Amino acid sequence: MTITSVDTVTATLEYFSPPKDGSKPINYITWSPSLGVPQRNWDKVSHQVQIENLRGGKEDSVSLDTTGFQYGRRAAAHKSFDNDEIVEKEYYPESIALVKEITGASRVVPFDHTIRRRRPEEIEDTPQKRQPVPLVHIDQTPESSAARVRRHLPAEDVPKLLEGRFQIINLWRPIGRPAYDWPLALCDWRSVNRENDLVASTLRYPDRDGETFSVKFNPSHKWKYLRGMEPDEYVLIKCFDSKDDGKTATFTPHTAFEDPTTPKDAPLRESIELRLLVFYD
C-alpha cells in the first residue's frame, strides 16, 4: 500500500433533507428489509466539501472545548474487540482512566459501544453488523443527553449530576489497521449555525426512542480529519456539553466519508466507538 501526503481533499458528504410532509424525522437504529418499513422518513442530499487533513503538525490545532474534538495517541491494552463482555471488562476501565486524565473529570460512566466493520455487500443494519455511517450527524440532543443520565445513573444521584456540568464524549479509534478506508470527518463547532443547521430527529430502537441531531448543509462548515489514523491513535468527539456559554463547543457533527486519496489496496475499515457520560465536580 503506497501512502502519499495530502493537505486537503475534496469529498462528497451526505447531509440531511427534512421530510417533505413536515413530520418529525425518524430513523430506525436496528433495521432490515424484513421489517417492511423504510429505515427513515427523510432523504439524504449530497454536497461536495473541502476536508482538511491535520496530519503533519496540525493535530493540536483542535480541542474538545474549541472545535469539539481532540486527537491523541495512546495504545489500548485491549486489542481484539471480538467479544462485547471482554470489551466491557478490559477496554472500559482503561478508557475511563484515559478520559479522566484528558478532561480532568471526576466521574466517567461508559454506557455503550459500537464496533464497525465495513462490509460492502452487507445490507442489514443490526448490532452485530454495524458499518461506518456515511451521514453527517450528532449523536445526542440536550434532551436525549439528560435522558442518558437518568437511564444509566442511580436515581438518587441524578438530580445533583444534572445540576452540574456534564458531557457525553465518544472515544473513537481504529481496530487492528490504519483507517484509510472510509475515515471519520469532523466539523469545527465554531462553523455550525445551531439554529439553522440542526434538526432534532427520533432514533427508534426496538424498545424505546432516542434523539439525535440531523444536520443540514451549510457552506460555512469547516471539516477536518486525520488521514490514516492508527490503532494507537484516538479522537475524542464531544456529543454534548451542558456548559452552554456560547464560547465552549457543545457538539460535533461528524461522518464517515469516501476519501478519494485512499489507496486502492487499503484494508476495509474497522473501528470502535465508546460513548461515555462525563461529570465534573
Side-chain angles (χ1 to χ4, degrees):
M1 186 169 66
T2 302
I3 304 301
T4 57
S5 62
V6 60
D7 290 329
T8 301
V9 298
T10 301
T12 299
L13 299 188
E14 300 292 334
Y15 278 88
F16 165 83
S17 180
K20 294 179 175 58
D21 62 2
S23 60
K24 184 174 181 179
I26 297 175
N27 189 65
Y28 286 83
I29 189 64
T30 298
W31 180 88
S32 71
S34 62
L35 286 177
V37 296
Q39 186 171 12
R40 60 183 68 88
N41 67 343
W42 45 270
D43 295 322
K44 298 179 182 179
V45 58
S46 301
H47 288 275
Q48 277 203 334
V49 302
Q50 299 290 304
I51 307 176
E52 182 183 7
N53 176 24
L54 300 184
R55 178 76 70 192
K58 295 182 285 187
E59 294 90 342
D60 294 336
S61 65
V62 296
S63 71
L64 275 172
D65 281 349
T66 55
T67 56
F69 55 97
Q70 182 169 325
Y71 295 102
R73 185 181 292 273
R74 178 78 58 84
H78 180 83
K79 304 291 186 186
S80 63
F81 299 102
D82 289 328
N83 181 290
D84 284 342
E85 289 185 9
I86 297 176
V87 169
E88 292 179 18
K89 180 180 178 181
E90 296 182 357
Y91 186 61
Y92 279 28
E94 62 175 308
S95 299
I96 291 169
L98 173 63
V99 171
K100 281 186 173 181
E101 177 185 328
I102 299 301
T103 65
S106 55
R107 186 175 183 178
V108 174
V109 179
F111 61 86
D112 71 11
H113 71 274
T114 302
I115 293 171
R116 301 190 187 275
R117 294 183 167 94
R118 193 167 84 83
R119 300 291 182 265
E121 73 285 353
E122 185 58 66
I123 60 171
E124 286 194 354
D125 184 17
T126 60
Q128 289 72 40
K129 298 181 179 181
R130 296 285 187 234
Q131 303 212 47
V133 178
L135 175 71
V136 179
H137 67 285
I138 299 168
D139 290 359
Q140 308 286 339
T141 65
E143 289 74 18
S144 63
S145 298
R148 284 289 184 184
V149 177
R150 298 185 187 99
R151 181 177 176 86
H152 300 293
L153 276 296
E156 60 271 20
D157 295 351
V158 168
K160 184 176 180 181
L161 291 172
L162 290 178
E163 287 176 2
R165 184 185 185 188
F166 77 96
Q167 303 165 328
I168 294 180
I169 290 176
N170 180 336
L171 170 59
W172 188 99
R173 70 166 74 234
I175 295 174
R177 63 197 67 173
Y180 287 100
D181 175 67
W182 284 84
L184 194 67
L186 302 114
C187 186
D188 188 330
W189 170 82
R190 296 169 296 186
S191 68
V192 180
N193 183 319
R194 176 162 53 181
E195 299 304 320
N196 293 335
D197 298 351
L198 307 185
V199 179
S201 304
T202 297
L203 201 60
R204 184 143 292 167
Y205 294 87
D207 60 339
R208 61 186 175 85
D209 284 350
E211 192 175 64
T212 64
F213 274 132
S214 299
V215 183
K216 295 187 290 185
F217 175 69
N218 181 334
S220 297
H221 290 167
K222 296 187 183 303
W223 287 96
K224 318 286 182 181
Y225 83 125
L226 193 61
R227 188 167 184 259
M229 280 188 68
E230 300 172 356
D232 65 348
E233 295 180 308
Y234 62 84
V235 59
L236 296 175
I237 307 166
K238 189 184 288 187
C239 304
F240 172 77
D241 194 334
S242 64
K243 184 178 181 179
D244 190 7
D245 59 4
K247 298 178 293 184
T248 304
T250 53
F251 52 76
T252 310
H254 57 283
T255 180
F257 75 100
E258 188 172 11
D259 184 348
T261 70
T262 297
K264 298 299 183 184
D265 57 346
L268 299 179
R269 191 188 106 186
E270 298 191 2
S271 60
I272 180 168
E273 57 212 55
L274 173 62
R275 283 167 285 270
L276 311 102
L277 286 158
V278 179
F279 302 97
Y280 298 84
D281 286 338

